[in-house]
Amino acid sequence: MPNVLLITSDQHNPFVTGYAGDPLARTPNLDALAEAGTTFSAAYTNSPICMPARASLATGQYSSAIGAYDNGAPYQREQAESLGHRLRANARPAVTFGKLHFDDETDSGFDAYLPLQAKRGYLGARLGWARGNAPPSPIMSDHVRDAGVGVSEYELYDRHTTQAACRWLTTEAPSGTPWFAHVSFAYPHYPFRAPADSLPADDVDVPLPPAWRPEDWPHNPELDEHRHMMGIDAEPFTEDELRQLRWVYTAMVQFVDRQVGEVLAALDGSGAADDTVVIYTSDHGDMLGGHGFAMKSLMYDASARVPMLIVGPGVGRDVVEGAAVSLVDVYPTAVDVMGLPAIDADAELPGASLRDVAPDRIAFSEYHGPSSTAASYMVRRDRWKYVAHMAADTRPQLFDLVADPHELDDRVDAEPDIAADLDAELHSILDPEATDLRIRAGQAEQLAAAEPPPAGGAPKRTAYGTLARGWSVPSPAIMAIVDPDGP
């Protein structure tokens, strides 16, 4: 049976790759994977924010079903067994390198190298718990305005992750027993710091995102709330700021591509490449200023879609697959590839193996986090994407992504039958209203029980430049790896 090498990044907008036709990005290693395997052009996160997305990736289940619904509820074993536990029970080596974002006290089921884990109760979690009752926080938009060339701890952390993964692949990976290895990079997640050795070519125009001008922004109460909470409505991004962001972000993606290339070279050098299925994906995307938004948390494709590539035995070569898939499909893919015995719980998993995708499948995503007053849900099937908002007075949205890939033409009034059909699909997955009320009640309880947040302040600066502002101080876990002797 083949091995599985899962490579993930954090916050990779799926359009910023060479194989996707981006005019600026040069991603030869990801492009080579696309040519050698199957590219999923309708792949989605199951929640466009870090911790819930990673919980779905680990367990093959939707985050609301297991209680991992926001960045204050990272994956822990009590919520569900992970793929790592399944592999361990079948005596299959399961290792991870780099960012996990699981609960720092949980047994994830994986042997972890350099893990970046999650702490409960930091300010980002509180902003989610206080949905609708928190003051605006310009932290995210400040990161956009701060984009520039420099070094961050995340870059150094990713370099260490690459080194550890390559060392394991070439000297420690077992032979004769199928193994699962997850190499998880923190880039291109903010802070937006462009590695000097990964800068884009300077002879190509830097593209601007769709509907970035305020006069072109789409509006409804929930979208307006997102912009207000991020401070974007009061101070919209300028053209220069967005071009600078895109240039820096592209450099970060190109840095990830180089790390992917080093890992693939180590796999090839180990002699195991021909007997390994390689998957590349990300936890979610990045809006990059599109439609008047920063970062993630939205159901627009720049945020909710992810790159998804698969290469290896049993996978079509140089294929672009348009069927809808999502992160929950990684778990059953590993079970399929590695020939694990079936268990009763498999029938309850919403995903399916990426080696055998039905054309009429749907992808589902949900958001229950900061900058929102209530849940948003997305269903993608074939060319259509339906977004339902639970916020008061907020109507659903419907987009024909073949005719309108930039999501500029809301068709919910023009295509009522399609909207109704996809709304029925949503209700077949969960009760959207009841799930929203249950999660918001739980978040209110967590907020009431939380300790007071730490005092805010000026940007926290380190020897490697500005990592983040106020609440997001350099992680001790990162610093122990990249600078064990201190600054």
Side-chain angles (χ1 to χ4, degrees), residues 194-205:
D197 60 358
S198 300
L199 295 174
D202 57 9
D203 59 347
V204 180
D205 289 338

Side-chain angles (χ1 to χ4, degrees), residues 143-283:
H143 277 296
V144 171
R145 302 181 206 283
D146 286 346
V149 177
V151 181
S152 79
E153 282 86 353
Y154 279 170
E155 175 195 334
L156 303 179
Y157 175 75
D158 281 352
R159 293 185 189 274
H160 282 267
T161 296
T162 299
Q163 292 168 7
C166 291
R167 183 166 55 248
W168 186 87
L169 287 166
T170 55
T171 66
E172 301 177 40
S175 59
T177 301
W179 47 258
F180 177 95
H182 178 195
V183 183
S184 179
F185 298 115
Y187 258 39
H189 190 285
Y190 66 88
F192 297 115
R193 285 290 172 268
D197 60 358
S198 300
L199 295 174
D202 57 9
D203 59 347
V204 180
D205 289 338
V206 179
L208 287 163
W212 66 272
R213 295 182 177 86
E215 59 266 31
D216 296 328
W217 290 352
H219 292 280
N220 67 38
E222 187 64 5
L223 298 181
D224 293 343
E225 174 72 7
H226 274 277
R227 292 192 196 94
H228 178 65
M229 288 299 297
M230 293 182 179
I232 298 171
D233 56 349
E235 188 180 359
F237 299 124
T238 67
E239 179 176 343
D240 287 344
E241 287 172 338
L242 292 180
R243 289 193 190 279
Q244 174 75 357
L245 169 67
R246 183 64 156 78
W247 186 72
V248 168
Y249 181 87
T250 300
M252 297 170 73
V253 170
Q254 293 180 166
F255 169 79
V256 171
D257 183 80
R258 290 177 58 190
Q259 306 313 300
V260 170
E262 291 187 32
V263 172
L264 294 177
L267 176 67
D268 189 58
S270 73
D274 291 340
D275 201 29
T276 301
V277 169
V278 178
I279 302 170
Y280 174 79
T281 190
S282 193
D283 55 353

Side-chain angles (χ1 to χ4, degrees), residues 123 139 452-460 469-473:
L123 183 56
I139 293 170
K460 302 296 191 263
R469 291 179 176 263
W471 53 271
S472 186
V473 298

